[in-house]
Amino acid sequence: MARILIADDEESMRLLVGRAIAMDGHDITTAEDGAEALEILLRDDGSYDLLLTDIKMPVMDGIALALAAARDFPQLTILLMTGFADQRERASGLDAIVHDVVTKPFAVADIRAAVADALATRRAA
């Protein structure tokens, strides 16, 4: 299946999303913030199929991470998550590099469907 990097500063969210996506057989790596996620991407030479990142995080937020990841690894599919309307608005201009923005809170089925859709779109491209 796919290699997915999850970046979220809330441990409970990383665990929930990681378990949900792993149910579909994906290989999951997690990061506590955008800076750690970018370090992982650079270390692994961008060898991930999907970056799933929260927008609002300390150190480096998800939008800065998405911009850096898209610059360095243009083949990487990016999916953002947020529970804040203002953060969703900030992401609205990133359609060229971000597949979608998933609104928190979400059901396990919703995040699994969003990931499946992002991966299907990636394969079709």
Side-chain angles (χ1 to χ4, degrees), residues 6-15 31-34 36 52-62 81 84 104:
I6 300 168
D8 198 306
D9 59 319
E10 294 180 47
E11 183 179 14
S12 60
M13 186 58 68
R14 284 193 311 273
L15 291 172
E32 294 182 12
D33 59 51
E36 182 184 8
L52 177 58
T53 180
D54 190 22
I55 294 176
K56 191 169 185 166
M57 296 183 290
V59 185
M60 174 187 266
D61 72 13
M81 304 179 284
F84 300 94
K104 291 179 181 181

Side-chain angles (χ1 to χ4, degrees), residues 4-96:
I4 300 173
L5 176 57
I6 300 168
D8 198 306
D9 59 319
E10 294 180 47
E11 183 179 14
S12 60
M13 186 58 68
R14 284 193 311 273
L15 291 172
L16 170 74
V17 173
R19 284 190 195 126
I21 297 170
M23 290 169 56
D24 294 321
H26 301 301
D27 179 22
I28 306 301
T29 302
T30 61
E32 294 182 12
D33 59 51
E36 182 184 8
L38 188 56
E39 286 177 19
I40 292 169
L41 282 172
L42 293 170
R43 178 193 71 207
D44 295 344
D45 199 28
S47 63
Y48 289 85
D49 299 295
L50 178 68
L51 170 62
L52 177 58
T53 180
D54 190 22
I55 294 176
K56 191 169 185 166
M57 296 183 290
V59 185
M60 174 187 266
D61 72 13
I63 290 177
L65 172 59
L67 290 169
R71 177 197 66 218
D72 295 343
F73 308 104
Q75 80 290 353
L76 182 63
T77 301
I78 301 170
L79 195 57
L80 300 177
M81 304 179 284
T82 189
F84 300 94
D86 62 324
Q87 299 300 317
R88 189 174 180 85
E89 287 175 24
R90 282 184 58 217
S92 65
L94 301 176
D95 291 344

